[in-house]
Amino acid sequence: MHQLCEPDGMGAAWRYGRTGQIGHEAMYVGLIGHVEDVRVYGYITTTKIKIIVAVEDAFLPGQTEQGKAHEVALKNLMIKIHGLYTEYIANPFTTLSANTIKSARFDNGVTANVNAFNRNPALTMR
């Protein structure tokens, strides 16, 4: 997993500014790689904050429509997490720490969004 985050290792896919894209579309990196039975997706902000989402590899080859719906839902999840992070950082009462986000609002927001993603009926195997 550590290799996926390193700019000179497998994580060379990390880059900001997808050609021809703007806004959240430019920040979405997409599939970074596989680690055992999970797929790892990434999102990088303009300030170089990396959001990594690891999901179980639920879709078999040939399930393209479900795979596309899954990726759209993942992108939306990362956009929402980025919004929560932006709210946290923009709060004038936030005491910034280099390693940890200490915010019940952030934690609850991430948990609620991940739970909503996991309950999405469009993403279940058929």
Side-chain angles (χ1 to χ4, degrees), residues 69-121:
H70 193 255
E71 191 156 0
V72 167
L74 278 168
K75 182 175 16 175
N76 289 334
L77 173 64
M78 288 188 252
I79 289 168
K80 290 174 184 177
I81 292 171
H82 181 206
L84 291 167
Y85 176 77
T86 302
E87 285 179 18
Y88 171 76
I89 292 297
N91 183 343
F93 301 107
T94 296
T95 303
L96 298 178
S97 169
N99 298 323
T100 307
I101 295 176
K102 295 180 181 177
S103 166
R105 181 180 172 105
F106 179 83
D107 290 344
N108 293 338
V110 170
T111 299
N113 282 295
V114 168
N115 288 339
F117 173 82
N118 288 333
R119 286 189 306 267
N120 188 338

Side-chain angles (χ1 to χ4, degrees), residues 39-87:
R39 288 184 184 180
V40 181
Y41 292 84
Y43 183 96
I44 187 167
T45 69
T46 55
T47 56
K48 309 259 190 230
I49 300 298
K50 296 175 185 174
I51 298 171
I52 299 171
V53 175
V55 295
E56 288 183 332
D57 207 358
F59 298 102
L60 301 172
Q63 292 177 312
T64 57
E65 290 305 314
Q66 285 180 309
K68 288 177 187 175
H70 193 255
E71 191 156 0
V72 167
L74 278 168
K75 182 175 16 175
N76 289 334
L77 173 64
M78 288 188 252
I79 289 168
K80 290 174 184 177
I81 292 171
H82 181 206
L84 291 167
Y85 176 77
T86 302
E87 285 179 18

Side-chain angles (χ1 to χ4, degrees), residues 30-42:
L31 180 66
I32 299 171
H34 292 268
V35 178
E36 295 182 17
D37 62 343
V38 298
R39 288 184 184 180
V40 181
Y41 292 84

